[in-house]
């Protein structure tokens, strides 16, 4: 007969398992497990089996094990996990891609009815249409101020009604009505709250960033650095081209206003001294762009046949016959 392990033995085994996982895995997803059933959690474990391990437990036990393991190994990066162990949370240790694992976890959500006293995570809207309930059930709708009408012996909701707002507690009338309508408005599953990667902790929204998003954010940062550098006249690599161009413009303005000159300013002065050269320079461009159209016009005129003169005699009689 197998000996049932004591609570102390279970704690020792749990501590050993958590420490082993901390040494083996460098990536951890901290996920909230509110309203997640045992069957649902079992399906999540099956779906992640292979490169990920889901570990649940009491927060005090996990904090103690993490703290002692950090002191034992000298790796203080583990201590970043302690502030994240708040509420009903679990740890998902993984060696796979963090984004793919997070998406896999999100797949295992199941619908749940609205229970009395439960805080609504989303707005609940009852859609219009036939409810299939007999007219004796109108009292539920009247209590909740839902406009209805009787259509073919059943109750029909006329307009969509916001029954419960996000953050409100579900009342007994709302719960009974949703149960009668067969509406399961809420869905629950593991929700990733934070991501731990080699000692760094960040929000799961970072996993949704693409390469284009990173390039766009980098370009925005470079433009801000450039604008700040130009505003305070502080040279940086990003602002250097703009500073050179602005410097050239200033020197060119001085050269134009005075007798001082340099090779890059000679041509500008030449154009300013004889404005007709602007027209000479623009003529070849205009000829290249619009020369083809006038040349094609005479050819079309030549191809166009001349209309034949109409005569009343063609029909064998004149106008006054």
């Amino acid at each position: 007969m197998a000996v049932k392990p004591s609570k102390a033995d279970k704690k020792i085994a749990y501590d050993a398992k958590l420490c082993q996982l901390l040494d083996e895995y460098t990536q951890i997803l901290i996920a909230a497990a509110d309203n997640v059933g045992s069957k649902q959690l079992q399906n999540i474990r099956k779906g992640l089996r292979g490169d990920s391990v889901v570990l649940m437990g009491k927060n005090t036990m996990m904090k103690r094990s993490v703290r002692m393991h950090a002191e034992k190994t000298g790796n203080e990066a583990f201590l970043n996990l302690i502030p994240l162990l708040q509420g009903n949370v679990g740890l998902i240790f993984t060696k796979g891609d963090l984004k793919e694992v997070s998406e896999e976890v999100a797949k295992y959500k199941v619908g749940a009815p609205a229970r009395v006293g439960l805080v609504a995570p989303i707005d609940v809207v009852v859609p219009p249409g036939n409810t299939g309930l007999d007219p004796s059930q109108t009292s539920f709708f009247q209590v909740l101020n839902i406009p209805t009408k009787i259509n073919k012996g059943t109750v029909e909701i006329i307009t969509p009604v916001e029954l419960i707002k996000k953050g409100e507690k579900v009342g007994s009338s709302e719960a009974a009505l949703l149960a009668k309508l067969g509406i399961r408005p809420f869905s629950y599953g593991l929700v990733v709250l934070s991501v731990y990667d080699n000692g760094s902790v960040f929000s799961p929204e970072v996993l949704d960033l693409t390469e284009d998003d990173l390039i766009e954010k980098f370009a925005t940062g470079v433009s801000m650095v450039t604008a700040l550098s130009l505003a305070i006249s502080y040279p940086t690599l990003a602002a250097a081209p703009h500073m050179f161009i602005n410097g050239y413009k200033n020197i060119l303005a001085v050269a134009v206003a005075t007798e001082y000159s340099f090779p890059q300013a000679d041509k500008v002065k030449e154009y300013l001294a004889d404005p007709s050269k602007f027209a000479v320079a623009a003529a070849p461009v205009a000829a290249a762009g619009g020369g083809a159209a006038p040349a094609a016009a005479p050819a079309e005129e030549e191809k166009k046949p001349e209309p034949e003169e109409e005569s009343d005699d063609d029909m064998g009689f004149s106008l006054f016959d």
Side-chain angles (χ1 to χ4, degrees):
M1 183 176 179
V3 179
K4 186 177 180 180
S6 63
K7 289 185 177 180
D9 294 335
K10 289 181 179 179
K11 289 182 178 181
I12 293 173
Y14 182 87
D15 178 75
K17 182 177 181 180
L18 178 56
C19 293
Q20 178 187 353
L21 292 174
L22 289 173
D23 290 335
E24 185 177 352
Y25 295 86
T26 59
Q27 300 178 141
I28 307 172
L29 299 177
I30 296 86
D34 293 333
N35 302 300
V36 177
S38 57
K39 178 64 176 177
Q40 184 179 359
L41 188 59
Q42 183 181 2
N43 292 334
I44 295 174
R45 293 180 190 273
K46 289 181 180 179
L48 297 177
R49 189 172 295 166
D51 58 359
S52 302
V53 177
V54 180
L55 181 67
M56 308 297 293
K58 293 183 178 180
N59 292 345
T60 52
M61 182 65 185
M62 288 192 289
K63 288 179 180 179
R64 178 181 177 276
S65 298
V66 170
R67 188 180 294 108
M68 293 183 64
H69 189 65
E71 294 175 357
K72 181 179 179 181
T73 59
N75 187 356
E76 296 184 355
F78 292 138
L79 298 177
N80 295 332
L81 288 169
I82 295 178
L84 306 177
L85 301 176
Q86 302 290 337
N88 186 17
V89 297
L91 303 178
I92 303 175
F93 297 85
T94 181
K95 293 181 180 179
D97 183 82
L98 289 172
K99 180 176 175 60
E100 294 179 358
V101 174
S102 179
E103 291 176 348
E104 183 68 23
V105 170
K107 292 179 182 178
Y108 294 90
K109 286 189 176 183
V110 297
R115 298 186 180 90
V116 178
L118 190 68
V119 177
I122 58 172
D123 295 332
V124 179
V125 178
V126 178
N130 197 316
T131 63
L133 302 176
D134 59 85
S136 63
Q137 305 291 331
T138 54
S139 58
F140 286 103
F141 301 95
Q142 291 173 355
V143 170
L144 298 171
N145 297 322
I146 299 176
T148 60
K149 67 178 181 179
I150 306 301
N151 184 17
K152 297 181 180 180
T154 57
V155 179
E156 181 177 333
I157 299 176
I158 301 174
T159 58
V161 178
E162 187 176 21
L163 188 63
I164 309 171
K165 292 185 178 180
K166 181 179 179 180
E168 294 181 350
K169 288 188 176 181
V170 180
S172 57
S173 299
E174 291 88 346
L177 177 61
L178 292 172
K180 285 181 177 294
L181 297 177
I183 298 176
R184 301 167 68 90
F186 306 141
S187 60
Y188 297 108
L190 291 182
V191 180
V192 178
L193 301 178
S194 302
V195 180
Y196 172 92
D197 188 2
N198 286 313
S200 301
V201 178
F202 50 87
S203 172
E205 284 77 11
V206 176
L207 301 177
D208 297 329
L209 293 176
T210 62
E211 186 175 347
D212 293 336
D213 295 331
L214 296 176
I215 293 175
E216 182 181 354
K217 289 182 179 296
F218 179 77
T220 301
V222 170
S223 63
M224 294 177 66
V225 170
T226 303
L228 179 61
S229 301
L230 293 174
I232 63 177
S233 299
Y234 183 81
T236 60
L237 186 61
H242 302 278
M243 289 182 169
F244 283 122
I245 293 297
N246 292 337
Y248 169 72
K249 290 179 181 178
N250 293 334
I251 297 174
L252 182 61
V254 172
V256 170
T258 63
E259 295 182 356
Y260 173 78
S261 183
F262 56 95
Q264 287 79 6
D266 290 339
K267 191 168 184 179
V268 176
K269 283 190 170 187
E270 183 180 345
Y271 273 79
L272 293 176
D274 187 6
S276 62
K277 291 188 176 182
F278 284 104
V280 175
V285 178
E300 291 180 0
E301 291 180 359
E302 292 177 1
K303 293 180 180 179
K304 186 176 180 181
E306 295 182 359
E308 297 180 0
E309 295 182 358
E310 296 181 358
S311 174
D312 294 333
D313 295 336
D314 295 340
M315 301 296 296
F317 53 87
S318 66
L319 182 62
F320 299 101
D321 286 346

